Amino acid sequence: MGTGKRGLIATALTVIGAVAVLAAPGTAFAAPGPTPTPTASPSASTPPTNRDIEAVRRQLDALYHDAAVATDAYNAAEEKAEQQSAQIVALAQKIVKGQEKLAKLKARAGAAAAAQYRTNGLPDEAKLVLSDDPQQFLDATGRVIQGQRATKALIAELTRTQQDLKQYADDASAQWTKLEANRKAKAAAKKKVERQIAAAEKLESQLEAKEKKRLAELQEQAAHQAQTAWLDSGVLDEISGKASEAGKTAVAYATAQIDKPYEWGAEGPDSYDCSGLTSQAWASAGKPIPRTSQEQWKQLQHVDIKDMRPGDLIIYFGDASHVAMYLGDGAIVHAPRPGRTVTIAGAGSMPILGVVRPDA
């Protein structure tokens, strides 16, 4: 958050305190999306043998999957916190302008009260009797009536401005409560991501060189088998969509990031997580989309796999915890997981939940 934002938020909170409308903390928002129960890390007492490598692969998949879910929760909380910070800044600006307006209205009201005092408050009948010029009195009476109307309008505007200020302060207070809740959700998600990745790295570190080689072979084999099964279904025989111009731009951006490292919570330009890559690719095409894979699945238009075209996003796993961009010919580009880089893979190498189109 920039220095200017901090200053405006501080101003908003000062004003809120001054008018004594700071709300009590509300119920904290839960981190979005399903959160599977974390898988316990294996004991470090004995390194796995060769016959256990497949079990290790499955355990690593579970740990990295849980980390991906937590990353989505982290990204969602961060996005909401940024939105709430912007809303607080906007409300702070409204409060400052409202205070300036209220001060001017109060000055006008004071001037009107002083003018009324100078007339000594005589009744109209007495002013008519004492006046040397009845027409002048009548003219003055008309001006008085206009002044009374203006005074009523001034009082009404004062009241509205005071009500607006209170509403702005209430809104800023509510946004601040939500901001604090999402900061807590973000911190909790961060801890979970770090815990799951640490467990996976510890598990991998226990492997000997030949076991790591065998693990890599099993991982590649599992992805190849899944991709082969997907292709054997005949799905590519039905896919014939051509990329839109925006889709071509998004694909060009995504493929230009190949070999850059995966980093959870990152959205470029030096590293990415899965939804950071897809959201930035489509932003480069002038089509902003939600930051997380779960929100991309919820908010973007769903399309049938047979209608899929390059640039579309494929959402993976039942909880929408991973996303990749379709390139055509059964291939995707994606940021896989910690320790890997942005790469091209088979579109069917993971369980597909569905396909969404950012530029529908």
Side-chain angles (χ1 to χ4, degrees):
M1 189 185 304
T3 304
K5 280 191 176 181
R6 291 195 185 94
L8 282 169
I9 292 175
T11 300
L13 292 177
T14 301
V15 173
I16 293 167
V19 295
V21 294
L22 185 58
T27 303
F29 291 164
T35 307
T37 303
T39 307
S41 57
S43 170
S45 58
T46 57
T49 62
N50 285 339
R51 65 177 179 273
D52 295 325
I53 300 301
E54 175 61 22
V56 171
R57 183 189 70 80
R58 293 181 182 276
Q59 181 75 351
L60 285 171
D61 284 349
L63 289 168
Y64 281 123
H65 174 267
D66 286 352
V69 173
T71 297
D72 237 24
Y74 174 91
N75 290 335
E78 182 177 49
E79 186 175 40
K80 287 184 178 179
E82 288 176 354
Q83 292 170 352
Q84 285 147 6
S85 295
Q87 289 170 345
I88 290 172
V89 168
L91 288 165
Q93 292 170 336
K94 287 183 178 180
I95 289 171
V96 170
K97 290 180 180 178
Q99 284 185 316
E100 292 172 351
K101 180 180 179 182
L102 187 62
K104 291 177 181 178
L105 289 172
K106 284 182 177 180
R108 285 172 55 192
Q116 185 177 11
Y117 176 78
R118 286 194 295 272
T119 64
N120 297 320
L122 289 174
D124 290 343
E125 295 84 353
K127 293 178 184 177
L128 178 60
V129 170
L130 295 173
S131 175
D132 295 331
D133 187 344
Q135 185 59 49
Q136 186 180 22
F137 167 78
L138 293 175
D139 292 343
T141 300
R143 288 194 294 272
V144 168
I145 293 173
Q146 291 175 350
Q148 289 173 341
R149 290 173 180 169
T151 300
K152 287 181 180 180
L154 177 60
I155 292 172
E157 192 171 2
L158 266 168
T159 301
R160 284 195 303 271
T161 301
Q162 288 171 327
Q163 291 172 342
D164 287 345
L165 274 172
K166 184 180 184 304
Q167 186 61 56
Y168 296 152
D170 288 344
D171 291 346
S173 174
Q175 290 301 326
W176 186 261
T177 299
K178 292 178 182 179
L179 176 62
E180 287 301 299
N182 277 296
R183 282 175 174 167
K184 291 178 181 178
K186 178 180 170 182
K190 179 181 179 180
K191 287 182 180 178
K192 183 174 181 181
V193 174
E194 292 172 340
R195 184 170 64 248
Q196 298 303 105
I197 293 176
E201 290 175 343
K202 182 177 180 180
L203 179 58
E204 289 184 284
S205 71
Q206 295 171 356
L207 299 176
E208 297 177 359
K210 62 180 181 180
E211 292 169 339
K212 290 181 180 179
K213 181 180 179 182
R214 177 59 180 155
L215 174 63
E217 291 171 352
L218 286 175
Q219 290 170 335
E220 185 177 346
Q221 180 180 331
H224 177 73
Q225 288 175 344
Q227 173 72 354
T228 299
W230 185 69
L231 293 176
D232 286 347
S233 69
V235 65
L236 281 188
D237 297 337
E238 298 181 337
I239 299 174
S240 59
K242 294 183 178 180
S244 65
E245 288 304 313
K248 291 177 183 177
T249 301
V251 166
Y253 180 98
T255 53
Q257 312 313 309
I258 288 173
D259 290 333
K260 290 185 178 180
Y262 176 103
E263 181 181 354
W264 67 271
E267 47 189 332
D270 299 321
S271 57
Y272 297 86
D273 62 20
C274 66
S275 57
L277 177 64
T278 55
S279 61
Q280 288 302 304
W282 273 101
S284 75
K287 300 284 184 179
I289 62 173
R291 170 65 177 87
T292 69
S293 58
Q294 291 176 352
E295 287 304 311
Q296 289 170 8
W297 175 243
K298 288 178 184 177
Q299 296 185 35
L300 301 180
Q301 181 175 314
H302 292 203
V303 297
D304 195 284
I305 287 182
K306 66 181 177 61
D307 298 322
M308 188 163 56
R309 68 190 188 193
D312 286 348
L313 304 182
I314 303 180
I315 309 296
Y316 292 95
F317 304 105
D319 52 11
S321 57
H322 190 70
V323 60
M325 179 176 291
Y326 185 60
L327 298 179
D329 296 327
I332 57 169
V333 58
H334 71 145
R337 72 180 200 192
R340 303 286 178 83
T341 59
V342 176
T343 189
I344 292 176
S349 58
M350 297 168 285
I352 295 176
L353 176 61
V355 180
V356 294
R357 179 163 295 163
D359 62 337

